[in-house]
Each structure stands twice: as C-alpha cells, then as structure tokens.
C-alpha cells in the first residue's frame, strides 16, 4: 500500500510555502450553503493564535467607501429570479443608506411599493445585531452589548460569538424556502448574479432542462460573469483554481457545464474541482419531471467531468436513477431528508472536511495535487463518503473509536455511489477533523489491540483504512479542530451526541445545542464507480427520449449531441474496470462488450 503521510496539523507545524495568502475562487450555483461551517472559524482577534484553516483561501479582505474593513467570501453566485427573498442583490454590506431611485418628472406620480418578504427569527436577530441593539436576557444568555465594528473592521466573528452564547435555538424548518433564509455572512456586491428570465418558484418560466441552462450564458450575463471572474482572480497572489458547486438535477447542470468549459478554456492550467448537488426529493414531482432530473444529472455529469480536474456528485439520495433506494441514514443523526435545509447542512459539514487539504494554513496540499492523486487514467469522477459525526467517544482515544467500529467503516456514501466490497481503490484521500483534546494513540479501555500499539495518529488511521483497502494508495490528513456549527444550523443530532459532538453513554438530557462535531470523510476513485456509471447509462438508454420527453429536446438539445453524451458516459464507465477480477461487473457493462 502506498501512503502519503500528511502530518497532524497544528498551529506549531511548519508554514505552508504559500502562506499567508493562499487563494482560490469559489463558484456557487446555489441551493446548498457550503459556508455553513467555513465562516464559523473566522476571527479578527489579534490576541488569538492563528487557526489551522487559512481563511484567506476562500475569503477576501476589502474596504467600504466609509473606510471599514470587510471580510467576504471570494464567491460568484448565480440563481433565479425570486431566490434572494429579503437579501439585497448587492449583499447589503456596502449600502450607504441613501435611496438612489430619483425620478426626473414634473407631473403627478403614483408610487407602488411592494412589501418586503417576511424574515424568520434568525434574520430578525441578525438585523438587531446590525442595529446595535441590546438583546434581551430572555432571548440570549449573554447580555453584553453586541459590537459590529472594532477599529474600523466589520467583525464577522462578532455574530459567531454572540450567537454561540445564545441559548435560544432556531427552528426554521417551516420557514426556510431559499438559501438566503439562513445566510449568516455578508456578501461582496460583485457576488450575486440573477438569471431574470427564469423563476425560482411557480409553474411558469422554470429552468428545468439542461439545454436551457446552456443557453443562459450569453450576452450581458456572460459579460457580467467574465468581469466578475477577472475582478476576483486578479487580486489572488497565489491562485490555485476554482471550486464549482452546481445543482445537478435541473437546468443549472447546463449552466455549470458551460461555466466549467469556459474555465477550462481560459484557465486550463489551474485546478477545477466541481461538486454536483442533487436533493433527496423534489416537491410536486411527476414521472416526467423525474425523467428530466435523470437526464440533467446524466448530461451534467458527462460535460462537467470532461471540463474539470475532478468531479464529485454530492447527494443523500439512494441513487441518481428513477428507482433510487432509501436516503442515506447516519447512526447519530435524525434529519428529514425531504428538507433541503437539513440535507444541505449534512453535506456542508462533509464538504468542510473534504476541502480541508487545500485550505490548511500549514501542510496544505494544492488543488492540483489532490486532483492528480485521484484522477489518473481519465478517471475524473470520484465518490465521497462521510461520517457525520465521526463516533469519537467522550474521554476515549482514536484507537478506541476505530476499534468500536469493528468490521465496518464508519462512513456512509454521500455521492449516491455504494462503496466497493472488493478492497480495491485506485486512489483515496481521507480527512479526519476534531481530534483536539483526544489521545491519538493508546488507551487501555478496550485492551491492547494492534491499533493501540501504534506510535502516531497517522499510523493508527492508516492501519485501520488499509485493513479494508490493503493494497490501495492512501492519502491522509488529520486536523485537530472539529467542524464548528453555528446558528441557525439545524439540530439534527440524536440524543447520544453531546454539545461538542462527542458520543456519550447516556442521553443528552439537557438537549444542549451541538456546537461542533468531529468528521471523517473519504474521497475515492475506485472500481465501484464503473458499475454505478454503467447503471446510470442503462437507466437513460432504456427510454426513447423523443417519445417520453419530447419537450426536453425541444428546449434546444440536439439528438446527436445526446447520443454522443451517452457514448462518453459508456466510455467513462469502462475507465474504472478492475482487471484484477475482484469486482463484479454490471449487466450493462456486459451488454457493452457485445456491441
């Protein structure tokens, strides 16, 4: 087994050669909020030691017209008309409070003012913090005056500290409709772009088909995107590449395909890591709409993977096909898979760990190196697995927790691709977060197993993983800090999970909010992806698109291009064949051999 040993990360480790400003640009085609966790580690406190995560990788420092220093994500977000709700398109951070809507007209005027969308309790509390109001003791345990500006700096961490101290819990399951309903950070004025010809809600003018999304990027919107690209890219002093997050089941699959193609053409030497997101279910769906979702997922996967350094689907569905199995269940979570608010929070915690290697302050690994370790021989599609939370026991050690897992790996599939049982893997990148304050070796609680006799945390985890993948390349990353969870992160944890995300032998009778969790993730390129892609090919090929969904083709998709995409998918699935004879091939792969 080939193991890349990445040292246990801490603030005392040697500096990354590209510190202190290692930068990459994040693209976000919304309905997942990946900054759930990444903004929780932000701090402007000069007296605190620097954290393990280098925030400048995805956040940028700027300045308002009034001279205040700001810290906003290096982000370009695209969404549909009606998706912002109460959030201004300019982000609200640089608003000078003046009304710029002047009218040069001497006649009579009649003004119609639309009522703003109602805000949930969390957004109302953020507004009160912005106004500098004292929050009542009945609402918050701390009664100190909230401060938004210290020495001219907009204090992003002030919100974190104030709301972390809050004993008030938010129950937004009935009020969250869009991502901006739980957005807790400021956005740069250049971040948001709105596709005005399509609606977020309603029955008309919906972005439902892949080809509709492809046609979106032209004219003024394309020019706007190009200008924003140059603005964010040119300020990076060490530019790693792009992280693209894109809805996979609707027309945004076409938008993402065009964007990744554009990035590949203009920035081909940089890393392009693409994450395709799919909800567990769609409200008011029909068989025809479900077939639309299958077609969008298939075309998006083929096109985005061909233009990316690495492509990984992210979903808690039981599969991308029409007959998906039950949603993924986690032993210590009690979430509602039908709510994007819940499922996106689980995926965001996993994504926070999956992206750690190229966001570390010390021992960082560039994006291109992560991609190269997993995408050999044209295998650009990878699968992700996560343990949320990782079952780290209160007072226990790392060998203790892994020993309790026994003969089963603790993670679950979060890419709709089941894990192979053959013990074969072409490449794997494993990240474990949240070991701070815990022993990495030893402990007599469960006796002296082989894991307890090893000398380092890296050796313990490598030995454990290699027992399931004995001859596969392995990259390891251990990080001491857990993933922080800040309001309004939904409280979806079982009663066996304590406030720090650790497992207890008793119920969490006080029902304390979970504020951090240890997380274990794995990014894999292995033989299991081949049958999964082949089954996806078979599911789409079983239908005559011209008869079942003629309206999908009428949106502009050429039938020859569709057949070409299916052929690309078939060839891609064959890249993952395991010639060692350890993997059972799917029936569609056998059929391909007969062609």
């Amino acid at each position: 087994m080939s193991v890349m040993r990445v040292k246990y990360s801490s603030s005392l480790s040697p500096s990354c050669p590209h510190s202190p400003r290692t930068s990459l640009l994040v693209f976000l085609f919304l309905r997942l909020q990946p900054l759930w966790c990444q903004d929780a580690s932000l701090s402007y406190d000069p007296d605190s030691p620097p954290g393990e995560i280098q925030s400048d990788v995805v956040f940028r420092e700027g300045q308002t017209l009034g001279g205040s220093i700001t810290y906003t994500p290096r982000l370009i977000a695209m969404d549909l008309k009606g998706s912002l709700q109460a959030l201004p398109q300019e982000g609200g951070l640089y608003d000078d409070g003046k009304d710029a809507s002047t009218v040069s007209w001497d006649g009579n005027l009649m003004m119609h003012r639309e009522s703003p969308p109602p805000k949930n309790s969390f957004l109302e509390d953020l507004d009160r913090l912005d106004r500098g109001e004292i929050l009542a003791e009945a609402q918050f345990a701390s009664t100190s005056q909230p401060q938004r500006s210290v020495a001219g700096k907009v204090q992003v961490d002030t919100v974190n500290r104030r709301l972390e101290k809050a004993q008030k819990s938010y129950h937004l399951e009935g009020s969250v409709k869009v991502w901006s309903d739980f957005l807790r950070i400021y956005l740069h004025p250049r971040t948001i772009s709105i596709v005005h010809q399509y609606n977020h809600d309603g029955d008309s003018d919906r972005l439902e088909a892949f080809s509709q999304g492809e046609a979106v990027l032209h004219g003024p919107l394309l020019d706007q995107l190009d200008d924003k690209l140059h603005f964010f890219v040119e300020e990076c002093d060490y530019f790693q590449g792009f992280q693209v997050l894109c809805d996979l089941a609707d027309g945004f699959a076409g938008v993402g395909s065009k964007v990744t193609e554009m990035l590949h053409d203009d920035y081909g030497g940089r890393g392009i890591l693409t994450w395709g997101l799919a909800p567990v279910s769609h409200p008011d769906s029909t068989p025809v709409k479900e077939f639309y979702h299958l077609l969008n997922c298939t075309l998006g996967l083929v096109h985005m993977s061909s233009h990316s350094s690495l492509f990984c689907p992210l979903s808690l569905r039981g599969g991308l096909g029409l007959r998906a199995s039950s949603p993924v269940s986690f032993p210590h979570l009690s979430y509602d898979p039908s709510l994007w608010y819940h499922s996106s929070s689980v995926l965001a915690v996993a994504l926070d760990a999956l992206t750690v290697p190229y966001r570390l302050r010390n021992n960082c690994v560039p994006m291109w190196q992560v991609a190269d370790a997993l995408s050999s021989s044209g295998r650009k599609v990878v699968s992700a697995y996560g343990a949320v939370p990782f079952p780290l026991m209160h007072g226990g050690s790392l060998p203790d927790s892994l020993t309790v897992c026994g003969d089963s790996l603790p993670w679950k599939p979060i890419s709709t691709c089941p894990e192979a049982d053959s013990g074969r893997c072409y490449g794997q990148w494993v990240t474990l977060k949240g070991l701070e304050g815990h022993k990495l070796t030893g402990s007599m609680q469960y006796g002296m197993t082989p894991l307890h006799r090893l000398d380092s945390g890296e050796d313990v985890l490598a030995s454990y993983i290699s027992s399931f993948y004995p001859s596969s390349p392995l990259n390891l990353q251990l990080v001491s800090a857990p993933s922080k969870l800040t309001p309004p992160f939904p409280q979806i944890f079982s009663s066996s999970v304590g406030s720090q995300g650790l497992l207890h032998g008793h119920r969490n009778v006080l029902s304390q909010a979970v504020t951090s969790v240890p997380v274990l993730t794995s990014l894999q390129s292995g033989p299991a992806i081949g049958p999964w892609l082949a089954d996806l090919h078979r599911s789409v090929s079983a239908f005559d698109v011209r008869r079942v969904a003629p309206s999908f083709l009428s949106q502009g998709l050429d039938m020859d291009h569709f057949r070409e995409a299916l052929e690309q998918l078939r060839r891609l699935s064959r890249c993952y064949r395991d010639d060692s004879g350890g993997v059972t091939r799917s029936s569609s792969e056998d059929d391909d051999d007969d062609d």
Side-chain angles (χ1 to χ4, degrees):
M1 180 185 69
S2 172
V3 180
M4 176 184 175
R5 298 197 177 277
V6 181
K7 291 183 178 180
Y8 183 71
S9 176
S10 72
S11 59
L12 301 179
S13 302
S15 295
C16 171
H18 304 296
S19 293
R21 294 191 59 82
T22 304
S23 302
L24 65 98
L25 176 65
V26 177
F27 264 81
L28 177 60
F29 299 96
L30 290 160
R31 289 189 189 92
L32 169 74
Q33 175 51 300
L35 302 174
W36 265 124
C37 309
Q38 293 178 8
D39 77 293
S41 62
L42 296 179
S43 177
Y44 274 120
D45 189 352
D47 298 325
S48 299
E52 293 172 294
I53 302 300
Q54 172 64 286
S55 298
D56 286 344
V57 172
V58 289
F59 284 82
R60 64 179 299 278
E61 192 172 274
Q63 190 173 34
T64 67
L65 295 177
S68 296
I69 303 300
T70 63
Y71 208 45
T72 54
R74 190 176 289 105
L75 165 69
I76 299 175
M78 297 184 69
D79 213 330
L80 308 178
K81 183 171 63 177
S83 63
L84 298 184
Q85 296 284 65
L87 176 69
Q89 184 171 341
E90 297 77 17
L93 183 59
Y94 293 80
D95 184 13
D96 58 7
K98 298 178 181 179
D99 187 3
S101 57
T102 58
V103 180
S104 58
W105 172 255
D106 296 330
N108 295 328
L109 290 176
M110 180 178 292
M111 181 174 293
H112 298 273
R113 190 179 298 273
E114 185 179 2
S115 299
K119 294 185 177 182
N120 58 47
S121 58
F122 170 72
L123 295 180
E124 289 176 349
D125 283 346
L126 286 186
D127 285 347
R128 298 183 70 186
L129 283 171
D130 283 337
R131 293 193 299 266
E133 296 180 7
I134 299 177
L135 301 181
E137 187 172 2
Q139 294 173 305
F140 291 95
S142 171
T143 58
S144 61
Q145 173 74 32
Q147 297 179 357
R148 294 290 293 176
S149 179
V150 178
K153 290 189 175 184
V154 176
Q155 296 293 296
V156 180
D157 58 319
T158 298
V159 180
N160 290 345
R161 293 196 305 269
R162 290 287 297 158
L163 296 181
E164 281 171 7
K165 293 179 181 178
Q167 299 303 308
K168 177 180 179 180
S169 59
Y170 296 96
H171 302 284
L172 306 183
E173 283 76 7
S175 62
V176 167
K177 296 181 176 62
V178 293
W179 55 272
S180 57
D181 286 336
F182 52 91
L183 181 71
R184 46 177 290 114
I185 58 174
Y186 289 117
L187 300 180
H188 191 273
R190 292 179 183 260
T191 283
I192 298 176
S193 293
I194 295 297
V195 182
H196 289 283
Q197 62 263 47
Y198 294 108
N199 293 321
H200 174 74
D201 286 318
D203 297 325
S204 61
D205 298 324
R206 302 301 301 272
L207 186 62
E208 296 181 321
F210 179 86
S211 52
Q212 288 177 297
E214 282 190 308
V216 158
L217 283 183
H218 70 280
L221 189 62
L222 179 59
D223 294 337
Q224 182 184 107
L225 177 61
D226 193 50
D227 289 342
K228 292 181 177 184
L229 260 177
H230 286 292
F231 173 80
F232 285 115
V233 168
E234 290 172 1
E235 69 176 6
C236 296
D237 47 10
Y238 172 68
F239 178 51
Q240 290 195 49
F242 303 90
Q243 183 168 262
V244 181
L245 293 99
C246 179
D247 279 1
L248 198 57
D250 59 18
F252 269 103
V255 180
S257 297
K258 279 298 183 182
V259 168
T260 52
E261 181 180 2
M262 172 183 173
L263 298 178
H264 181 268
D265 292 342
D266 296 344
Y267 302 92
R270 306 295 184 176
I272 305 173
L273 270 59
T274 303
W275 311 87
L277 311 168
V280 174
S281 60
H282 299 83
D284 303 321
S285 191
T286 65
V288 172
K289 287 183 178 180
E290 288 298 318
F291 189 54
Y292 265 47
H293 300 151
L294 175 63
L295 294 174
N296 289 325
C297 288
T298 301
L299 293 171
L301 183 150
V302 169
H303 287 275
M304 283 188 275
S305 63
S306 66
H307 298 131
S308 303
S309 308
L310 211 62
F311 176 86
C312 181
L314 287 178
S315 179
L316 300 183
R317 280 175 60 93
L320 291 181
L322 297 176
R323 297 178 178 85
S325 57
S326 301
V328 179
S329 81
F330 297 84
H332 304 293
L333 293 185
S334 179
Y335 77 102
D336 184 347
S338 67
L339 296 178
W340 233 152
Y341 175 52
H342 279 192
S343 58
S344 72
S345 66
V346 178
L347 293 177
V349 173
L351 189 64
D352 180 57
L354 289 167
T355 60
V356 154
Y358 47 87
R359 294 192 295 119
L360 284 174
R361 185 180 304 275
N362 307 306
N363 302 313
C364 62
V365 181
M367 294 177 72
W368 64 264
Q369 188 172 337
V370 175
D372 285 354
L374 299 173
S375 62
S376 62
S377 303
R379 305 183 188 109
K380 289 188 176 183
V381 178
V382 296
S383 55
Y385 305 86
V388 182
F390 173 68
L392 192 60
M393 293 166 291
H394 185 74
S397 67
L398 177 59
D400 290 341
S401 296
L402 295 176
T403 300
V404 170
C405 293
D407 297 331
S408 300
L409 285 161
W411 55 55
K412 301 291 184 179
I414 54 175
S415 290
T416 75
C417 177
E419 196 167 12
D421 56 5
S422 64
R424 287 278 295 148
C425 193
Y426 304 130
Q428 182 171 196
W429 203 291
V430 175
T431 301
L432 177 56
K433 292 190 65 182
L435 297 172
E436 189 174 36
H438 293 270
K439 293 182 179 179
L440 303 183
T441 61
S443 179
M444 298 296 292
Q445 186 174 356
Y446 292 93
M448 290 301 289
T449 69
L451 291 180
H452 291 82
R453 297 187 180 95
L454 298 175
D455 297 327
S456 69
E458 293 82 6
D459 289 339
V460 170
L461 187 57
S463 177
Y464 177 76
I465 299 296
S466 66
S467 68
F468 295 90
Y469 296 96
S471 59
S472 302
L474 175 62
N475 303 276
L476 294 175
Q477 201 103 35
L478 272 66
V479 180
S480 64
S483 288
K484 293 182 66 178
L485 310 179
T486 49
F489 194 94
Q491 291 304 309
I492 54 178
F493 299 92
S494 68
S495 59
S496 62
V497 180
S499 61
Q500 302 302 312
L502 305 178
L503 301 187
H504 292 266
H506 56 275
R507 296 181 61 219
N508 184 0
V509 294
L510 298 178
S511 299
Q512 295 176 309
V514 178
T515 59
S516 63
V517 288
V519 182
L520 175 68
T521 58
S522 172
L523 206 56
Q524 297 183 14
S525 173
I529 298 176
W532 175 71
L533 293 174
D535 287 340
L536 184 63
H537 177 273
R538 180 178 56 182
S539 297
V540 178
S541 302
F543 295 91
D544 184 351
V545 179
R546 291 168 296 189
R547 183 179 62 84
V548 177
S551 56
F552 191 89
L553 295 176
S554 68
Q555 300 294 339
L557 180 64
D558 182 78
M559 194 63 194
D560 289 338
H561 291 165
F562 178 69
R563 293 193 188 97
E564 182 181 348
L566 288 184
E567 176 60 22
Q568 285 181 259
L569 179 61
R570 188 184 70 86
R571 291 198 301 266
L572 183 60
S573 70
R574 295 168 69 92
C575 291
Y576 294 86
R577 285 187 170 178
D578 183 7
D579 295 330
S580 67
V583 174
T584 302
R585 294 160 61 189
S586 70
S587 58
S588 59
E589 286 184 295
D590 294 333
D591 293 340
D592 289 340
D593 287 340
D594 297 332
D595 292 343

